[in-house]
Amino acid sequence: MSSPASKNRFLKINLITIVLLFVLILAGGVVRSTGSGMGCPDWPKCFGQFIPPTQLSELPKDYKQQYADKRLAKNQRFAHTLDVFGYSDLAQRIRDDKSILVPEEFNAAKTWTEYVNRLVGAISGVFLLLLAIFSFKYGKVNVWIPVLSVFNLILVVFQAWLGSIVVSTNLIAWIVTVHMLIALAILGICILTYHLAKTHGKPPLQIKGIVYVFTFIALALSVVQIAMGTEVREQIDAVADHFQGGYRESWVKNAGEIFLNHRNLALMVLLANLMLYALIRRGFIRHSVQQQLMSFTFLMIMLQIVTGILLSYFSLPPYAQAAHIVLASLIFGAQFYLVLNLYRTVDIQGARR
């Protein structure tokens, strides 16, 4: 059995990792909202350097062609991989899409924005590695903790590779969505391992089935809403390209049906969480972790609605875009942790008697 010291060490590293993942999502949101995704045209280095340049004069004259050629080679390998897994149509579209080979002009601000994002990602990766190493202390206590921690490390490696594909394919739409969903999966696994370690030896709660049902519905709606939100952003990017970056005030209006669906689903998310809030208030004492999580979730949803209004009516300000993504991830994290605490809680008080 793990010693108290090793348990505390694991919990601290796990908690730091969770915080870092939220910071990483924020950094990714800033990259997305400022259009800095192609600030570094290669991966894992940035313009072939571990510390990127600050001036155009530091780059060779033919840097555009150099990185276009490298992306072409990587896209060919990625297309071949898709062929192997039976996605021949998609592979051919990538081969035929010449727009993904259009090079970006060097922009120091965008380059360093993307570089900071990668730096936070690298630090998060180190902590995930430490988490996997220390998780083996729990092997005899709960085998799922090391299994999930190692699997999460593998998932991070895949996410890093997918990040290189995001760069190589010049932010091709569906890959960005998958990239975001995998980030949520990594975050969810970290929350799960933290909860498993924190609640070891505690008895399960006896909760009414309707509470479970509404909690899972609320969580599922949030995940769908996040996925749809990435699709909205992709559609707005397409509109922005059509207008060549101009007429920003009309981008949302021209986003089409996907934006309307995203907005309508937001109302469903709000209603589902209102009903869940009432159930949690009735089923748990005032200062229980379940009520605290539900109150936090509801506050994040209200702030999310505010940022949604800012995005819709104030021409997509970048700060609101970044906040919108972070708030969505915080809602997901709180709801997922609530699901876990409905089965076995970290709170010694828990449900009403």
Side-chain angles (χ1 to χ4, degrees):
M1 187 172 180
S2 61
S3 65
S6 62
K7 179 179 179 180
N8 289 334
R9 187 184 303 113
F10 177 82
L11 288 171
K12 286 179 181 178
I13 293 173
N14 203 330
L15 190 58
I16 292 171
T17 305
I18 291 170
V19 172
L20 281 171
L21 289 173
F22 280 117
V23 174
L24 182 58
I25 290 172
L26 171 60
V30 172
V31 167
R32 194 85 170 106
S33 63
T34 57
S36 303
M38 291 300 294
C40 295
D42 52 338
W43 189 95
K45 294 182 181 180
C46 186
F47 286 103
Q49 304 173 35
F50 287 107
I51 299 178
T54 56
Q55 298 179 14
L56 181 61
S57 59
E58 298 176 48
L59 295 171
K61 292 182 179 180
D62 63 340
Y63 77 92
K64 292 182 182 179
Q65 189 60 47
Q66 283 186 25
Y67 293 110
D69 291 342
K70 289 180 180 179
R71 284 202 305 272
L72 176 60
K74 180 172 283 188
N75 288 347
Q76 293 297 330
R77 292 194 297 270
F78 181 51
H80 177 70
T81 302
L82 291 173
D83 281 330
V84 171
F85 286 97
Y87 296 98
S88 299
D89 291 342
L90 180 58
Q92 194 58 46
R93 288 209 306 271
I94 290 176
R95 292 188 182 100
D96 295 339
D97 187 1
K98 303 304 180 184
S99 66
I100 63 177
L101 297 177
V102 176
E104 293 280 328
E105 294 285 345
F106 173 74
N107 182 304
K110 291 184 177 181
T111 293
W112 277 84
T113 300
E114 169 60 11
Y115 177 72
V116 170
N117 175 47
R118 294 185 184 188
L119 194 60
V120 175
I123 295 171
S124 301
V126 170
F127 272 87
L128 283 160
L129 175 60
L130 291 174
L131 195 62
I133 293 171
F134 286 112
S135 69
F136 286 98
K137 293 286 186 179
Y138 280 88
K140 295 181 180 179
V141 175
N142 188 331
V143 70
W144 281 109
I145 293 177
V147 167
L148 288 169
S149 297
V150 172
F151 174 75
N152 217 15
L153 192 60
I154 296 171
L155 199 57
V156 166
V157 173
F158 176 76
Q159 177 78 327
W161 171 79
L162 192 63
S164 72
I165 298 300
V166 169
V167 173
S168 176
T169 56
N170 204 5
L171 305 177
I172 196 168
W174 68 272
I175 298 181
V176 177
T177 301
V178 173
H179 200 59
M180 181 64 190
L181 292 177
I182 292 177
L184 292 182
I186 293 169
L187 174 63
I189 292 173
C190 279
I191 293 172
L192 176 55
T193 55
Y194 179 83
H195 184 263
L196 289 174
K198 191 81 172 175
T199 60
H200 171 70
K202 294 185 178 180
L205 296 178
Q206 299 298 321
I207 305 298
K208 293 180 180 180
I210 190 171
V211 179
Y212 280 116
V213 170
F214 269 96
T215 308
F216 277 107
I217 289 174
L219 179 61
L221 285 174
S222 293
V223 173
V224 172
Q225 182 73 326
I226 290 171
M228 191 177 292
T230 62
E231 293 178 8
V232 169
R233 180 63 206 183
E234 290 157 10
Q235 182 61 33
I236 287 177
D237 286 345
V239 173
D241 288 341
H242 176 73
F243 288 114
Q244 297 181 337
Y247 306 99
R248 190 180 182 93
E249 68 282 355
S250 66
W251 290 359
V252 171
K253 183 175 63 176
N254 287 278
E257 187 177 352
I258 186 68
F259 172 76
L260 298 177
N261 292 337
H262 184 60
R263 186 180 61 185
N264 293 337
L265 186 58
L267 295 175
M268 293 179 62
V269 169
L270 178 60
L271 289 174
N273 280 277
L274 278 171
M275 298 179 73
L276 180 59
Y277 187 76
L279 289 170
I280 296 295
R281 285 288 298 272
R282 188 169 61 183
F284 293 89
I285 61 177
R286 183 175 180 182
H287 297 293
S288 65
V289 68
Q290 290 82 5
Q291 279 217 30
Q292 291 176 20
L293 285 168
M294 195 64 238
S295 297
F296 176 80
T297 300
F298 204 73
L299 174 61
M300 295 300 101
I301 289 173
M302 292 297 101
L303 293 174
Q304 183 78 323
I305 291 172
V306 171
T307 58
I309 292 171
L310 290 172
L311 290 170
S312 299
Y313 297 101
F314 293 90
S315 303
L316 299 164
Y319 67 86
Q321 293 179 47
H324 204 63
I325 294 172
V326 174
L327 289 168
S329 65
L330 286 169
I331 293 168
F332 166 81
Q335 288 178 330
F336 183 62
Y337 198 43
L338 175 60
V339 168
L340 298 176
N341 276 279
L342 290 179
Y343 175 68
R344 184 174 277 118
T345 181
V346 298
D347 196 332
I348 60 173
Q349 299 173 9
R352 295 184 188 277
R353 301 293 181 185

